[in-house]
Amino acid sequence: MNTIPEKTQLVIIGAGPGGYAAAFRAAELGLSVTLIDPEVRPGGVCLYRGCIPSKALLHVAKLVSETEESAAIGVKFSSPKIDLDRVRDWKNEVIKKLTGGLGMRADKLKLTYVRGTVRFKDNKTLTVKTVDDETGELNFDQAILATGSRPLMLPGVQASARIIDSTGALELAGVPKSLLVVGGGYIGLELGSVYAALGSKVSVVEMTDGLLPGCDRDLVSVLKRRLEKKVAEILLSTKVVELKEQKNVVAVTLEDKKGERNSKRFDQVLIAIGRRPNSENLGLENTAIKLTDKGFIKVDGQQRTAERHIFAIGDIAGEPMLAHKAYGEAHVAAEAAAGQKAVFDPRAIPAVVFTDPEIAWCGLTETDARAQNIKIRTAKFPWRGNGRTLTLGRDDGLTKLILAADSDRLLGIAVAGPGAGELIAEGVLALEMAATGEDLRKTIHPHPTLSETIFEAAGMLE
Ligand code: NAD
């Protein structure tokens, strides 16, 4: 059933990681909740077109790499045969399981789930249009906006079968012989790695002078060294000045930092140059809600907008556009809506790039410390000194601790290497608990594991 209720205590607009987490928390706290999203079940971009399908495909890429590299340790496989239909079905089964689970939880918590889109008529009323084309008005006491973000396109360029964004790439319609990835950020490198493993000749073009702008260069070097063996080329300080679809190819004109132009042809082009918040077409002009110049909704520490009873969370409420930041904000907004004392004040929000190797960091980075003139000292432990990395045949990583220059206080932690995304959780907890280098040094880490690289790095501080 897809009925628009006339009234609700709390309406949540958007059922991604922000929206569904807020809805579950608010329902647990006793509020009557209406959750609105066009998809058949909660999940949002993260589950349907983002984090989850990309991680499923990155797992496939990892398997392919491992079969290729294991000959070096005496285990030989013939070239893997990719059954693309089965890969796509498996990825879709993963999505279905997860979104199905969220749907069941929504039912159990007696949420009203409406498949549709909304516009604010005023600061207490939404006009709701269902996917069945029915329209109705919903009166609410409080609202949480969680409409997320969407991929940016190059100006004047339309997505098509050959010019795709992350959504198109995750559909996995086919494996192009040659793929140009525009943007050497999170999405470009993750999805570029997937297509390279599936057999595409991948070129990456990045406008700035390094991959993953903003990330510490010593971590990026670990990734770049390996990536260079997997992709055909990485072109830095290079811009796309023209994209033209021709019969069966896309003709691309690239310009380097000297202004020299060069034309190339690719079977497909993936645009991964960032995302923008979905703050348009919501009728926000009918409320007092304010936007930043980048289109994010301005919020306070409780995620309240300029309309105190309307909250905003997740990608629409500002950077970093990460699902786990949305979860954190969701709980704060739901608790504040339920009258509890709550504030969004994390010491660290981890970032993970799920490439091979993974790169993960939390808290202060060396790049930020330099930009903000904060005096720090660092301890860097190269992975070749750790037993577990050698037994995995992967000693190319790096674990780095960042401490205050004049005390033993830990300010940041960063890891480049397989499993970095799991290892960083220890760093986040350490920062939340205000740990010192000595705390890490005196914590007994299991042997032989990659987590010992954190302990070893702390040992280097003495
Ligand atoms: P991004 O901001 O990470 O990277 C975009 C890259 O494109 C940048 O390096 C930028 O310099 C480059 N660029 C911009 N315009 C360009 C142009 N015209 N030509 C060449 N290069 C250009 O953005 P993204 O990779 O699209 O990801 C968007 C957001 O999604 C990220 O900010 C991140 O928050 C989120 N995300 C996170 C994960 C994760 O947590 N693992 C994965 C995917 C996406």
Side-chain angles (χ1 to χ4, degrees):
M1 265 238 299
N2 206 16
T3 317
I4 304 166
E6 278 176 23
K7 202 173 160 28
T8 189
Q9 274 183 321
L10 178 67
V11 61
I12 298 177
I13 303 148
Y20 72 69
F24 296 161
R25 185 78 188 120
E28 282 162 6
L29 294 173
L31 293 176
S32 89
V33 177
T34 303
L35 179 59
I36 306 181
D37 190 286
E39 287 288 354
V40 63
R41 301 240 179 282
V45 169
C46 172
L47 273 79
Y48 285 102
R49 297 175 288 283
C51 324
I52 297 300
S54 62
K55 264 68 277 169
L57 298 183
L58 279 159
H59 178 63
V60 173
K62 178 167 172 273
L63 284 175
V64 172
S65 285
E66 285 181 349
T67 60
E68 284 166 0
E69 291 170 11
S70 62
I73 58 168
V75 184
K76 289 188 185 158
F77 293 93
S78 49
S79 266
K81 283 199 187 107
I82 313 274
D83 175 351
L84 204 62
D85 290 336
R86 181 61 202 130
V87 172
R88 194 185 308 109
D89 286 351
W90 171 68
K91 172 208 51 139
N92 292 339
E93 282 161 24
V94 171
I95 295 171
K96 206 167 166 195
K97 263 187 211 155
L98 284 169
T99 54
L102 291 175
M104 270 165 26
R105 184 145 179 226
D107 291 345
K108 212 166 165 188
L109 285 166
K110 300 201 165 31
L111 301 186
T112 304
Y113 188 75
V114 179
R115 284 189 72 192
T117 52
V118 306
R119 273 183 73 81
F120 282 91
K121 185 180 173 202
D122 55 48
N123 68 359
K124 281 284 185 181
T125 322
L126 288 174
T127 306
V128 184
K129 189 171 176 201
T130 70
V131 290
D132 320 304
D133 247 355
E134 275 170 33
T135 305
E137 282 191 0
L138 170 62
N139 193 267
F140 59 88
D141 296 336
Q142 299 187 86
I144 299 179
L145 271 162
T147 49
S149 63
R150 64 181 184 281
L152 266 176
M153 256 293 152
L154 283 169
V157 175
Q158 287 282 323
S160 67
R162 291 197 179 272
I163 302 174
I164 54 174
D165 57 20
S166 54
T167 307
L170 290 168
E171 279 166 12
L172 202 66
V175 178
K177 280 211 180 80
S178 59
L179 175 72
L180 174 69
V181 174
V182 185
Y186 282 71
I187 295 181
L189 297 185
E190 289 185 7
L191 293 179
S193 305
V194 166
Y195 276 84
L198 293 177
S200 296
K201 190 174 164 224
V202 173
S203 301
V204 178
V205 51
E206 164 57 43
M207 189 170 78
T208 66
D209 62 2
L211 297 175
L212 296 169
C215 176
D216 287 352
R217 293 300 92 187
D218 49 0
L219 305 171
V220 175
S221 304
V222 177
L223 170 63
K224 189 160 175 266
R225 274 198 297 275
R226 197 172 156 82
L227 216 52
E228 275 165 346
K229 294 182 199 145
K230 305 275 172 189
V231 301
E233 54 184 351
I234 298 175
L235 304 167
L236 301 176
S237 303
T238 305
K239 281 189 301 207
V240 171
V241 283
E242 195 173 40
L243 273 184
K244 248 196 214 153
E245 257 191 273
Q246 298 177 341
K247 200 178 168 215
N248 301 330
V249 287
V250 186
V252 183
T253 308
L254 301 171
E255 186 181 281
D256 67 15
K257 63 176 166 198
K258 291 184 208 132
E260 276 172 28
R261 290 189 174 192
N262 162 5
S263 288
K264 295 186 179 223
R265 286 163 178 219
F266 298 90
D267 290 321
Q268 225 170 17
V269 176
L270 164 62
I271 312 284
I273 57 169
R275 299 181 63 87
R276 61 163 301 136
N278 291 325
S279 52
E280 311 94 339
N281 307 321
L282 287 168
L284 296 183
E285 62 282 5
N286 301 325
T287 70
I289 292 173
K290 300 268 180 311
L291 300 180
T292 69
D293 51 3
K294 288 185 174 165
F296 293 113
I297 292 181
K298 288 187 182 172
V299 290
D300 68 7
Q302 285 199 320
Q303 305 299 131
R304 290 180 194 271
T305 66
E307 300 274 6
R308 303 276 305 152
H309 64 295
I310 304 177
F311 301 76
I313 58 173
D315 288 6
I316 199 177
E319 307 254 22
M321 292 196 253
L322 298 171
H324 44 269
K325 185 209 74 162
Y327 289 137
E329 292 177 345
H331 282 199
V332 168
E335 286 163 15
Q340 294 193 349
K341 281 187 182 163
V343 67
F344 187 68
D345 186 24
R347 282 199 184 277
I349 300 173
V352 183
V353 190
F354 290 90
T355 39
D356 179 19
E358 292 176 355
I359 297 188
W361 65 95
C362 63
L364 187 68
T365 64
E366 267 191 284
T367 311
D368 286 345
R370 215 170 298 126
Q372 295 164 31
N373 218 5
I374 300 171
K375 301 248 174 318
I376 54 163
R377 63 204 170 103
T378 60
K380 298 183 187 185
F381 182 77
W383 279 24
R384 57 183 174 274
N386 169 276
R388 186 67 180 134
T389 69
L390 291 165
T391 64
L392 291 169
R394 292 297 301 270
D395 58 351
D396 54 341
L398 175 73
T399 297
K400 174 166 73 173
L401 305 181
I402 297 168
L403 289 98
D406 55 356
S407 79
D408 196 32
R409 180 75 180 269
L410 186 69
L411 300 179
I413 176 164
V415 185
E422 304 291 337
L423 292 175
I424 203 64
E426 176 177 347
V428 184
L429 184 62
L431 290 176
E432 286 290 351
M433 305 302 287
T436 60
E438 189 181 9
D439 291 328
L440 293 182
R441 206 159 53 236
K442 290 192 170 164
T443 299
I444 297 177
H445 288 71
H447 177 74
T449 64
L450 299 175
S451 73
E452 284 175 298
T453 63
I454 294 171
F455 163 77
E456 296 280 7
M460 293 169 78
L461 290 164
E462 274 197 317

